[in-house]
Structures are given as C-alpha cells and as structure tokens.
Amino acid sequence: MGTPKAALEWHGSTLLRRTVGILARATGGPVIVVRARDQELPELPKDVNVVDDPREGKGPVQGIAAGLAAVKDHADVAFVSSTDMPFLHPAFVRRVLRAVHEGADVGLPIARGYPQPLAAAYRTALAPIAEKLVEAERLRPAFLFEQCVVSRLDEAALKDDPVLAALDPALDSVVNINEPDEYRTAREKPAPEITIQRFGVLADGHRKPEFVRAATVAEAAAAAGVDFGGGHVTAALNGDQITRDGQMPLAAGDTVFFLSADAGG
C-alpha cells in the first residue's frame, strides 16, 4: 500500500479509529489493538488498550493469541478484526458473536467466497492454544480451528439475522483493503446513510428527521449545520449512547439525535 493501513483516511477518520469505534459500539468494550513492536498508530480513544505483538512475522494466529491473552481477564468472548474493513457494521459483529454465545468456541463467517478468520468471534480461553500453535510454527488459523468447536456461518446463516440482512445485505462488512485500487474504490463509496434529528433549541425550524450521509458524528453534525465542536451540543446515538466524540463512527441505519447541552441535553 505504501502507507500503513491503520492510518489510511476514510470519510474523515482513519481505518483504525473507525474499526475500534465500531467494535466498541457493538461489544461495549474493552477494545485491544495488537501492533508490531514500536509501530506508530494514529490517534485512538483513551480507553483503547494497545499491546505489542511479542513476535514479528508470525501471521494472524500470533495476533489472535496476543489479543485474546490481553482481553481474557475482562471478557469470555472477543471479536477479532483486521484494521482495514471500513464497512464493518455493528450488526455483523453482534451476529458473529452470537455464534459463540450459543456454544461454539469460534464463530467463523464464510462470506464472499472465503472463510473470514479476521472478522470472527473467539472464546478468549483459546489464547494458550493459539500461543502453543505459534511456538510450534503452525501459523494458519485452520490449525486453531482443528482444536475447537467452530460454528461456520455461511451467507445464508448470517443473513438469517433480519437486522444484518437489512443493514448490510451484501455483507460488505468483510471487505478489506490490500491494494491501492481497493483503497481507491473504498474511498469512492459514499458514507453510510443515517438519520439525524434535533431537539431543544436546535430543533427550531428542523423538527422532522433528516436523512444524510455521514461516517462520523462530526460529519453528521456538519451535514445538519450543527456546531458540535464548541462543547454546547451532545449527540445521542440511536437514542441511548451519549457522546461528544466527533470521531465516533456511524453505520448504515444509525440515528443521531443532537441536543443542546445548555438546555439539559
């Protein structure tokens, strides 16, 4: 790519910032970023934990082992994602996680013709198994899957979830970026279509919901002509998650409510 993928821009944010924000929204956190030792990362929320990959060049199983080990004291199940999936939707994450909550050790999507081990859910108790595989130089995710119960979710199984089928019918969640042409194509795609609604003094003359395209809360505010950077406006994502973080990522189907903080919002 010529540039670290984590820092690539997409609709006003970086790929890494978008990924961690989507995962935080879908799971409630905590979010762990596994990086190469001394790798520089773009700015991240303060509650994101960064851990160094203890070995270089060992592929995805090493990263999975490091991430699961870092989160295993805080969660029983984790969603593992690469950083370069700008269309990852919270509904996809929740559907895949459900496969593990229902009894599997791994929820593995089979989408767009391929298994997706870096858009999958894992029991965090698999961390020592993954670590032993790395020590044995058995570095393919398939070796991990041989040692646990895997729920393989084909496209029909994924889209049995009506929310996912409605909001990500093409399963763009698993689209990643490996080549410059793929990045250009991703950048040319429009931001997600979302709904904005204003309350209090912000609603003067704008009381009906408005449909706009925006990939972040800040973009949604700009589309609404709302000054979100001054500290006097609060956003409520889908009516419950309160934020003043302009970089909070948005996904198709979201509704963002803007409230004047001076008016008790």
Side-chain angles (χ1 to χ4, degrees):
M1 291 292 296
T3 300
K5 288 193 283 187
L8 291 176
E9 186 272 343
W10 193 78
H11 286 288
S13 186
T14 64
L15 291 184
L16 180 58
R17 176 64 182 85
R18 180 169 179 80
T19 299
V20 300
I22 290 292
L23 293 181
R25 283 186 49 187
T27 67
V31 177
I32 307 292
V33 172
V34 180
R35 67 173 181 179
R37 192 169 298 166
D38 300 324
Q39 178 185 1
E40 292 188 11
L41 298 176
E43 184 176 357
L44 292 169
K46 293 180 180 178
D47 57 352
V48 172
N49 296 313
V50 177
V51 299
D52 287 339
D53 199 332
R55 304 180 184 90
E56 294 185 16
K58 296 297 184 180
V61 173
Q62 171 62 69
I64 292 169
L68 295 181
V71 78
K72 66 181 178 64
D73 291 337
H74 307 283
D76 295 328
V77 183
F79 187 91
V80 173
S81 171
S82 60
T83 190
D84 59 343
M85 297 195 297
F87 312 113
L88 184 64
H89 199 288
F92 179 88
V93 176
R94 295 186 187 107
R95 172 62 187 97
V96 175
L97 285 169
R98 195 168 78 230
V100 180
H101 290 305
E102 290 174 348
D105 296 316
V106 176
L108 178 66
I110 314 293
R112 290 180 168 249
Y114 297 97
Q116 304 289 341
L118 296 183
Y122 297 81
R123 288 199 184 278
T124 56
L126 295 174
I129 298 174
E131 177 65 24
K132 288 180 180 177
L133 289 171
V134 175
E135 292 173 356
E137 295 289 324
R138 304 186 75 204
L139 304 179
R140 294 171 51 208
F143 293 132
L144 177 60
F145 302 152
E146 289 175 355
Q147 301 192 37
C148 57
V149 177
V150 180
S151 176
R152 289 174 168 81
L153 304 167
D154 62 16
E155 295 194 4
L158 291 166
K159 288 190 282 190
D160 272 348
D161 183 313
V163 176
L164 178 57
L167 298 177
D168 186 13
L171 298 178
D172 288 340
S173 286
V174 303
V175 172
N176 59 6
I177 294 169
N178 293 309
E179 302 291 342
D181 284 348
E182 293 173 342
Y183 177 48
R184 282 190 289 270
T185 299
R187 292 194 72 189
E188 289 169 358
K189 287 197 173 186
E193 186 173 51
I194 59 108
T195 304
I196 57 176
Q197 191 159 6
R198 315 167 198 219
F199 289 90
V201 296
L202 300 175
D204 187 23
H206 301 277
R207 296 190 177 277
K208 293 183 178 180
E210 303 167 59
F211 300 96
V212 302
R213 288 193 176 275
T216 64
V217 168
E219 276 196 343
V226 171
D227 180 9
F228 193 69
H232 300 293
V233 175
T234 297
L237 183 57
N238 297 322
D240 54 12
Q241 188 171 0
I242 306 299
T243 184
R244 291 186 180 175
D245 179 6
Q247 288 296 300
M248 173 74 75
L250 302 177
D254 282 339
T255 298
V256 183
F257 301 92
F258 291 108
L259 311 93
S260 171
D262 294 339

